[in-house]
Amino acid sequence: MIAKTPSESYTEQVHMVNAADLNGYKRLFGGTLMAWIDIVAATTARRHAGTNVTTATIDTLNFLTPAYSNDLVVLTGKMTYVGNTSMEVCVKTYVEQYDGKRNLINEAHVVLVALDTDDKPTAVPPLAPQTDEEREEYEAGRRRKALRKKRSLEKY
Ligand SMILES: CC(C)(COP(=O)(O)OP(=O)(O)OC[C@H]1O[C@@H](n2cnc3c(N)ncnc32)[C@H](O)[C@@H]1OP(=O)(O)O)[C@@H](O)C(=O)NCCC(=O)NCCS
């Protein structure tokens, strides 16, 4: 299978926060943001795999700062690591200011698995990181995968 670069599947999604996206405290509802994160991760993974995908796990969801009505919320999805059938996507969420400056409000690592037409895990193209940062992310992704495996084994 021919390797793909992280930029080939890079995904960006923009929302202007409206009343339906808010919780009772008039901040962006965390569950809405989680749904947006899942969609961005799935789109990134689908673009890499070229198949249907399903979410296996989301590592961490740290809500660093709130977002409010009328804020421009930007989500970016970037492939960080690829196993045999699984892919790790880093989804970053920002609030974009009027001058274009972006403040990070959330960062999540999402693992998705590629599925064939029988809904079974299927192999994905290797990932070819191009920059030093992408190579570092790839190595960190490899370590996170090993850690997840260790944790799941410890459960049983
Ligand atoms: C994710 C799923 C397809 C894995 O199926 P499975 O038969 O357990 O597959 P395998 O054990 O062969 O693992 C396949 C790959 O997924 C990875 N994987 C499986 N479960 C995982 C988990 N909980 N966390 C991280 N990676 C996981 C494995 O490490 C493996 O990766 P690799 O091929 O790159 O080495 C299956 O558990 C599933 O369908 N879960 C429900 C997913 C879903 O419905 N998500 C929507 C949210 S409700």
Side-chain angles (χ1 to χ4, degrees), residues 38 54-57 82-87 111-113 115 119 121 145 148-149:
D38 202 23
T54 190
T55 307
T57 192
V82 158
N84 179 31
T85 66
S86 68
M87 297 158 280
V111 178
L112 304 100
V113 178
L115 300 176
D119 254 9
K145 181 172 162 68
R148 280 182 213 110
K149 208 161 195 168

Side-chain angles (χ1 to χ4, degrees), residues 80-95:
T80 43
Y81 180 76
V82 158
N84 179 31
T85 66
S86 68
M87 297 158 280
E88 185 194 70
V89 178
C90 179
V91 180
K92 292 183 179 174
T93 307
Y94 305 89
V95 170

Side-chain angles (χ1 to χ4, degrees), residues 27-153:
R27 292 168 172 220
L28 174 62
F29 178 50
T32 298
L33 180 56
M34 285 195 258
W36 295 346
I37 289 168
D38 202 23
I39 290 167
V40 169
T43 305
T44 310
R46 243 161 83 152
R47 287 174 171 170
H48 182 86
T51 66
N52 188 19
V53 300
T54 190
T55 307
T57 192
I58 301 184
D59 267 6
T60 45
L61 269 177
N62 295 314
F63 297 100
L64 303 175
T65 54
Y68 299 97
S69 184
N70 219 34
D71 275 350
L72 211 55
V73 171
V74 180
L75 292 95
T76 63
K78 194 165 181 186
M79 192 67 63
T80 43
Y81 180 76
V82 158
N84 179 31
T85 66
S86 68
M87 297 158 280
E88 185 194 70
V89 178
C90 179
V91 180
K92 292 183 179 174
T93 307
Y94 305 89
V95 170
E96 188 175 301
Q97 310 297 336
Y98 288 106
D99 62 3
K101 188 168 166 276
R102 290 178 175 183
N103 298 330
L104 187 71
I105 63 169
N106 187 281
E107 184 173 337
H109 287 99
V110 185
V111 178
L112 304 100
V113 178
L115 300 176
D116 65 16
T117 48
D118 293 323
D119 254 9
K120 298 277 179 273
T122 187
V124 298
L127 186 67
Q130 301 294 296
T131 65
D132 285 348
E133 193 184 338
E134 288 170 358
R135 279 185 278 274
E136 277 166 27
E137 267 300 320
Y138 187 87
E139 284 311 314
R142 189 200 300 278
R143 289 194 294 273
R144 282 188 291 267
K145 181 172 162 68
L147 205 60
R148 280 182 213 110
K149 208 161 195 168
K150 188 165 175 273
R151 281 199 195 123
S152 73
L153 288 174

